[in-house]
């Protein structure tokens, strides 16, 4: 984990937002992210803001929900003062860390408190990340009763030695058991996979994909391993004890994921995310009449980021994004809880994004989705002959879909998904 927060300007002690920069008239939905920073074991590849220790006084398993709800009360005041509240959340996501380190009744208390302080829209998607070995049938049923609608299990792999290399603590057979419990509780289910682990073969990866599809979850995420500086795995790679991930190997494994998941009835709606489709959805997709992002089982919270919604991140190290403003909280749980106990904002610093940066981010995010980006909203699509040449080049190189480009949208092909950053630069005229 990197010890440093991003550079930014000091943030007001009361958390106030400049009403001129919240883009009040945009009408964007609001999402909430709740960071739970506790884990049983810190995985060697992980650079998230997580801790295996507890720190008391609002920063341990029994008191942490109270700190989150203190920030939620602050968020409600700040949004209202900026002229963009009250606005109930359309999606809520408890991530980590390991949210299920908190007892089910503490998670339910946190969710109830968010509903009381900020509001949660009817029919909202409410997701909880979970390690398969930190849940029970009874606990998942209680979370469903509390209002959680979806659980995302960190499966990562179905191969024991790959799990061991990733420092995962669950056995492969625990995942289908946990998925079955979630189904019995009435929860939608997602599983997360990681490819590119040192020592993982293509057969290993294919076995993990097939194991995931046999469970028929609603949603599967497939992420390439990134070895981050400051992690234990990063140090092992730097010392030559482990090989660095091979980009060509990871590209091959992504192509394998697309093939296996497509054959099993899943469709990509964002580069790393695949949703299970029904016959009607599949037919509409084949006819070009349905954007992949409209799939019923797509994660609406994931789409909140790709669609440039507003979101407020609660918890130590959590990032927030409202209009042209972005900020991030202090990282340490004790510092986070202490600030809130003194009725201060936990924000450490932030930034106001200028118009060119906002435009770049909108294109960069939208181009990753299955519905792509309107060419008219990019410099290449609205910039005369040079722009048309860039778009024609992307089509000729097989990076964006030719038919969709003729209809005015840049939608990535399979090859384009592997080179999405290059496509973004071309569309932006860089």
């Amino acid at each position: 984990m990197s010890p440093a927060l991003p550079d930014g300007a000091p943030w007001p002690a009361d958390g106030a937002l400049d009403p001129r920069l919240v883009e009040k008239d945009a009408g964007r939905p609001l999402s909430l992210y709740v960071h739970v920073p506790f884990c049983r074991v810190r995985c060697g590849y992980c650079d998230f803001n997580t801790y295996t220790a507890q720190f008391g006084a609002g920063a341990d398993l029994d008191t942490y929900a109270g700190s989150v709800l203190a920030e939620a009360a602050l968020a409600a005041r700040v949004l209202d003062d900026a002229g963009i509240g009250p606005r109930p959340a359309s999606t809520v996501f408890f991530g980590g860390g390991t949210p299920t380190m908190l007892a089910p009744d503490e998670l339910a208390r946190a969710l109830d408190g968010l509903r009381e302080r900020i509001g949660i829209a009817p029919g909202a998607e409410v997701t909880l990340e979970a390690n398969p070995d930190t849940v029970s049938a009874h606990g998942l049923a209680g979370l469903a009763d509390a209002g959680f609608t979806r659980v995302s299990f960190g499966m990562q792999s179905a191969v024991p030695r790959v799990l061991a290399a990733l420092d995962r603590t669950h056995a492969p057979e625990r995942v289908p058991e946990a998925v079955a419990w979630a189904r019995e509780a009435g929860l939608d289910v997602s599983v997360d996979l990681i490819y590119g682990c040192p020592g993982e073969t293509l057969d290993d990866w294919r076995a993990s994909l097939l194991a995931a599809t046999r469970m028929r979850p609603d949603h599967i995420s497939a992420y390439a391993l990134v070895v981050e500086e400051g992690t234990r795995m990063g140090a092992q790679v730097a010392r030559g004890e482990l090989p660095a991930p091979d980009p060509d190997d990871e590209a091959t494994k992504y192509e394998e994921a697309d093939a296996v998941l497509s054959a099993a009835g899943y469709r990509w709606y964002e580069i790393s995310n695949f949703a299970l489709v029904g016959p009607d959805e599949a037919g509409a997709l084949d006819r070009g009449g349905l954007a992949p992002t409209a799939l019923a089982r797509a994660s609406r919270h994931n789409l909140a980021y790709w669609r440039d919604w507003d979101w407020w991140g609660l918890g130590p190290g959590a990032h927030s994004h409202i209009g042209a403003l972005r900020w991030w909280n202090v990282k340490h749980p004790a510092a986070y809880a202490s600030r809130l106990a003194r009725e201060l904002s936990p924000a450490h610093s932030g930034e106001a994004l200028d118009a060119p940066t906002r435009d770049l981010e909108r294109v960069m995010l939208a181009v990753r989705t299955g519905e792509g980006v309107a060419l008219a909203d990019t410099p290449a699509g609205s910039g005369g002959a040079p722009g048309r040449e860039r778009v024609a080049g992307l089509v000729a190189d097989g990076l964006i879909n030719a038919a969709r480009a003729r209809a005015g949208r840049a939608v990535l092909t399979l090859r384009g998904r592997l080179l999405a950053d290059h496509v973004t630069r071309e569309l932006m005229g860089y």
Side-chain angles (χ1 to χ4, degrees):
M1 178 179 66
S2 170
L5 285 163
D7 292 333
W11 213 244
D14 61 359
L17 305 180
D18 187 337
R20 297 169 297 178
L21 298 174
V22 298
E23 299 178 356
K24 178 179 178 179
D25 296 331
R28 284 186 294 268
L30 175 69
S31 289
L32 299 176
Y33 171 80
V34 180
H35 185 66
V36 180
F38 306 111
C39 285
R40 285 181 180 173
V41 175
R42 183 166 181 80
C43 299
Y45 65 91
C46 178
D47 77 331
F48 294 165
N49 187 39
T50 63
Y51 303 83
T52 56
Q54 299 179 55
F55 305 99
D60 61 24
L61 297 179
D62 295 327
T63 61
Y64 182 69
S67 294
V68 167
L69 295 182
E71 186 181 1
L74 179 143
R77 291 195 302 272
V78 167
L79 292 172
D80 192 49
D81 289 345
I84 52 173
R87 185 168 38 147
S90 296
T91 71
V92 182
F93 193 102
F94 283 67
T98 308
T100 42
M101 289 285 289
L102 270 63
D105 59 347
E106 282 296 291
L107 290 165
R109 182 165 80 92
L111 184 59
D112 285 343
L114 294 178
R115 191 176 290 113
E116 293 168 2
R117 289 159 178 79
I118 297 175
I120 299 175
E125 176 191 87
V126 183
T127 302
L128 176 82
E129 284 188 330
N131 283 353
D133 56 356
T134 61
V135 298
S136 67
H138 177 75
L140 288 168
L143 293 171
D145 289 341
F148 287 89
T149 66
R150 185 174 178 272
V151 61
S152 180
F153 289 115
M155 175 180 172
Q156 317 311 6
S157 176
V159 179
R161 61 184 176 79
V162 175
L163 289 173
L166 292 170
D167 297 315
R168 304 298 291 183
T169 57
H170 67 271
E173 57 270 19
R174 178 67 176 210
V175 181
E177 185 177 38
V179 168
W181 290 339
R183 290 286 193 211
E184 290 168 5
L187 293 164
D188 295 335
V189 177
S190 177
V191 299
D192 290 353
L193 299 172
I194 292 178
Y195 58 92
C197 175
E200 180 192 57
T201 66
L202 184 59
D203 285 342
D204 291 335
W205 175 233
R206 187 179 297 112
S208 295
L209 290 165
L210 292 172
T213 60
R214 281 194 292 270
M215 292 182 285
R216 307 303 287 169
D218 302 283
H219 184 280
I220 297 175
S221 297
Y223 298 111
L225 177 67
V226 177
V227 177
E228 301 284 1
E229 185 178 355
T231 62
R232 184 164 64 252
M233 183 174 283
Q236 291 173 309
V237 169
R239 292 193 299 265
E241 298 170 6
L242 291 175
D246 179 350
D248 291 336
D249 173 70
E250 291 192 332
T252 298
K253 287 174 177 172
Y254 181 82
E255 292 170 338
E256 184 69 12
D258 185 76
V260 171
L261 296 178
S262 294
Y266 294 82
R267 296 293 184 274
W268 78 284
Y269 68 92
E270 189 278 330
I271 289 175
S272 299
N273 292 281
F274 299 77
L276 185 63
V277 301
D280 291 343
E281 290 177 321
L285 285 170
D286 291 341
R287 294 189 300 273
L290 179 69
T293 47
L295 298 177
R297 294 179 175 88
S299 165
R300 283 183 273 157
H301 189 84
N302 280 352
L303 287 171
Y305 298 127
W306 309 124
R307 288 175 168 168
D308 191 40
W309 286 10
D310 289 341
W311 73 85
W312 192 296
L314 303 110
H319 287 226
S320 300
H321 177 82
I322 303 290
L325 296 170
R326 182 161 52 207
W327 69 95
W328 39 91
N329 288 345
V330 294
K331 292 187 74 170
H332 199 280
Y336 170 77
S338 174
R339 289 200 182 194
L340 289 162
R342 291 179 285 137
E343 299 185 350
L344 299 174
S345 168
H348 177 273
S349 52
E351 58 187 342
L353 307 177
D354 59 22
T357 302
R358 292 285 283 135
D359 291 342
L360 169 61
E361 290 193 354
R362 288 190 189 100
V363 173
M364 179 181 67
L365 295 170
V367 83
R368 293 181 60 91
T369 69
E371 65 189 358
V373 62
L375 286 169
D377 294 337
T378 72
S382 59
R388 289 195 296 272
E389 290 175 5
R390 285 178 174 269
V391 172
L394 292 171
V395 171
D397 290 340
L399 300 178
I400 63 173
N401 182 282
R404 298 300 300 277
R406 288 193 295 271
R409 298 195 74 82
V411 177
L412 298 174
T413 63
L414 174 57
R415 172 175 160 78
R417 282 181 258 162
L418 298 171
L419 297 167
D421 289 345
H422 170 73
V423 173
T424 298
R425 287 194 295 271
E426 289 295 297
L427 292 174
M428 295 302 296
Y430 292 166

